[in-house]
Amino acid sequence: MPDSKPHYDIPLHDIKPLLEVPEYSLYYLVALTLVTVSLLIGIAYLLFRWFQKKDNFNIRKEHFKFINSTNIKETKKTAYLITLYGATFKDDSPRHLEMYKNLTDRLQEYKYKKDVDAFNDEVKGYIELYKGMIDV
């Protein structure tokens, strides 16, 4: 009876043995994950800073708004408000300081009295000039 088992000991001449192929996909995955996480953290930080800056209270803007919203017809109240809120901007430059001192000297006659007259044209001009000088 012939041998029913196949023989696997046949020498193979044209087929090369298996080679070990270096595998780098894990390194690529780790590098891609690190880059993605870094980008997401950077974007989150920038968004946080933007929202933090956006909601920040700016005292200069508020005081500028108060100065611009004063009613020139209410002389005494306007004199006090411009003196109070104008002090925020007096240290911006030497010109601002000089203008602020000049304006407060002119506003002195409209404060500390029970009844005051309306602003004269010169004082109105100084007030408008000071408002125009303010940079927010």
Side-chain angles (χ1 to χ4, degrees), residues 9-27:
D9 293 335
I10 303 172
L12 302 173
H13 300 287
D14 293 336
I15 300 176
K16 296 182 180 180
L18 293 176
L19 295 177
E20 187 174 326
V21 177
E23 179 64 35
Y24 297 113
S25 62
L26 179 64
Y27 301 117

Side-chain angles (χ1 to χ4, degrees), residues 39-61:
L39 281 174
L40 288 176
I41 289 173
I43 290 171
Y45 174 74
L46 290 176
L47 283 173
F48 172 74
R49 290 284 307 244
W50 183 71
F51 280 116
Q52 186 180 24
K53 189 175 182 180
K54 181 180 167 193
D55 295 335
N56 223 358
F57 178 74
N58 190 344
I59 194 75
R60 291 176 58 89
K61 283 184 182 179

Side-chain angles (χ1 to χ4, degrees), residues 87-99:
T88 305
F89 307 101
K90 72 178 181 179
D91 296 325
D92 287 354
S93 72
R95 278 187 59 222
H96 280 86
L97 180 62
E98 183 181 333
M99 184 63 183

Side-chain angles (χ1 to χ4, degrees), residues 25-41:
S25 62
L26 179 64
Y27 301 117
Y28 293 147
L29 177 66
V30 169
L32 183 65
T33 304
L34 288 175
V35 168
T36 305
V37 168
S38 298
L39 281 174
L40 288 176
I41 289 173

Side-chain angles (χ1 to χ4, degrees), residues 1-7:
M1 195 159 146
D3 195 10
S4 64
K5 291 182 180 179
H7 291 336

Side-chain angles (χ1 to χ4, degrees), residues 50-79:
W50 183 71
F51 280 116
Q52 186 180 24
K53 189 175 182 180
K54 181 180 167 193
D55 295 335
N56 223 358
F57 178 74
N58 190 344
I59 194 75
R60 291 176 58 89
K61 283 184 182 179
E62 291 298 315
H63 286 185
F64 182 66
K65 195 184 324 178
F66 288 142
I67 288 174
N68 274 336
S69 68
T70 57
N71 186 0
I72 294 285
K73 294 186 187 337
E74 297 175 357
T75 310
K76 190 172 186 173
K77 183 178 177 184
T78 300

